[in-house]
Amino acid sequence: MHMARPALKTLTTGPPEARGEFIRLCSSGRLKDALHHPFRDVLWSEPTLFAHVFRACRAIPLLRQIHAFAATCGAAADRFTTNNLMLAYADLGDLPTACSLFERIPKPNVMSWNILIGGYIKNGDLGSARKLFDEMPMRNVATWNAMVAGLTNAGHDEDSLGFFLAMRREGLHPDEFGLGSVFRCCAGLSDLVSGRQVHAYVLRCGMDIDMCVGNSLAHMYMRCGCLAEGEAVLKALPSLTVVSFNTTIAGRAQHGDSEGALEYFSMMRGVGIAADVVTFVSIITCCSDLAALAQGQQVHAQVIKAGVDKVVPVITCLVHMYSRCGCLGDSERVYSGYCGSDLFLLSAMISACGFHGQGHKAVELFKQMMNAGARPNEVTFLALLYACSHSGLKDEGLEFFELMTKTYGLQPSVKHYTCIVDLLGRSGCLDEAEALILSMPVRADGVIWKTLLSACKTQKNFDMAERIAERVIEFDPRDSAPYVLLSNIRATSRRWGDVSELRKNMREKNVRKEPGVSWVELKGQVHQFCTGDKSHPRQGEINEYLEEMMAKIRQCGYAPDMSMVFHDMEDEEKEVSLTHHSEKLAIAFAFLSLPEGVPIRIMKNLRVCDDCHVAIKLMSQVTGREIVVRDVSRFHHFRDGKCSCGDYW
């Protein structure tokens, strides 16, 4: 049986009720019902109600029709109604019409000016907003707040701070929204001094327990590196919200305390506050930094449960997280589940392929993007060049570099040039690589020279290496990397006297080699190993397993690379030292702990040394297990005695 739609309330219940019903319909977006015949009498009798109709319009054509209807009623001449009509046009991006309305107001009030200024700011025209601001005969707190917030959102933090100070000089007191904007501006500038001064003002005004002010203040302290002060501000608030937790989680993540961020995430869930997109982006990034696969998988499940698994920033972080945890296949599955096209997501997937030595896949993804008509940016080309350099695709890399600069007219950064230097170095074109560094239009940094130095070592051009090492040391005399590389180069040539001299030089300059640390995740717990470390509870089993493993790979041709250790040690001591490198300890523990057939995933803070690289290839051969090692540069996938890096890293 067909059921008729319930009739709208009529005007027989009295004008006040009809007015309330009309406003309710507009607020809920039921504009067609609000303009139904019985309610037109309400508009005729009280034209100021047109303001609610204007706010309910979501498209310019409909707004123009309502505008014409208001003009017929004579309501458009009223300043209050005109202000709201102007606001509706500005919100929908039709600034010319908003300006035309403003010019026809006989005596625009402060609200009229503020609406037009806000419209310009919302549409990114800060110049016109500033011009109007300067022309205003009178300003109020909302005017200043709009300018401070607009400049802050546009990244003009110094100008924003200047407006705030000028506002105070005029004797105006900012409200919670203005203070929130100025704290974000101080955070953007990392201006702790100004931030503290505004904090003192907040305390005098008694606004320190306002949620908007408190969260923005905590964010400022976090961005300036004062985690304890930021957390103290949040603890003083009457309650904690998702914004409060997001501030703490992001603050800890940005300052390298990913474990602390994960603890706050657990606390957040414990008190029943639901995570939002911002939370998930921060916490997935933490899992990525820690290479905490199990925790990352748990967070992924929560993302799906929360219904945000199709949000591009979340997908991009998941692609990156699985890649950094050594699971390129999972990155590809997450990426393929997105039906749209997003440049940052594509760049993340290209980068993931490059990080795992899958340069051909990265190139194929880029070509698919080009065929779809997308326009690559600097980030996309950086990911692509990185992928080419890590897969030895010299010709393709040089071709893409030319495409970037000549076809798209993009300016390469030093990072783009570093990828090209790596490509040339990998191909043995060391002179060409050096010439590129010396001729490029951007200033060289230590990284690009270290890239060339590493290539000199690989290509065994020791004379050039000595010269390049001097340049690297000039950039950062306290960086141990060039000293270690140069020491290894001299050791390879058995120049032990020069090795001793270099290490003496390091001691005199108080340059310390960063200790090698490797770690492996097991059942959600991270097990960490340092070179020569004997503190692990299963150390006895690890040593015994390593002895057996080293014996097996010796039968396959393994010979310890003694150049990797101090020359003044006995050969037996050297071999023991090599055996107990952190990555070998972590791999032995993983073999003892993980079920048969499960890939072994190890993370290391430095590059894998030559000896360990050879040993791990042979371990994968004698055990038939896949061993994945992430070092500071890339992923190494060891299978059947071969490595995905092609022995160049």
Side-chain angles (χ1 to χ4, degrees), residues 429-442:
C429 306
L430 300 178
D431 291 333
E432 192 177 340
E434 184 180 13
L436 177 65
I437 297 174
L438 295 173
S439 64
M440 64 186 188
V442 294

Side-chain angles (χ1 to χ4, degrees), residues 136-147:
M136 282 184 75
M138 185 180 295
R139 309 178 186 104
N140 62 9
V141 170
T143 317
W144 289 93
N145 280 348
M147 289 303 298

Side-chain angles (χ1 to χ4, degrees), residues 264-294:
Y264 266 89
F265 179 64
S266 298
M267 188 191 308
M268 177 182 180
R269 295 185 64 213
V271 297
I273 295 178
D276 62 9
V277 169
V278 177
T279 321
F280 284 123
V281 166
S282 292
I283 215 65
I284 294 168
T285 302
C286 290
C287 294
S288 175
D289 292 340
L290 293 170
L293 178 59

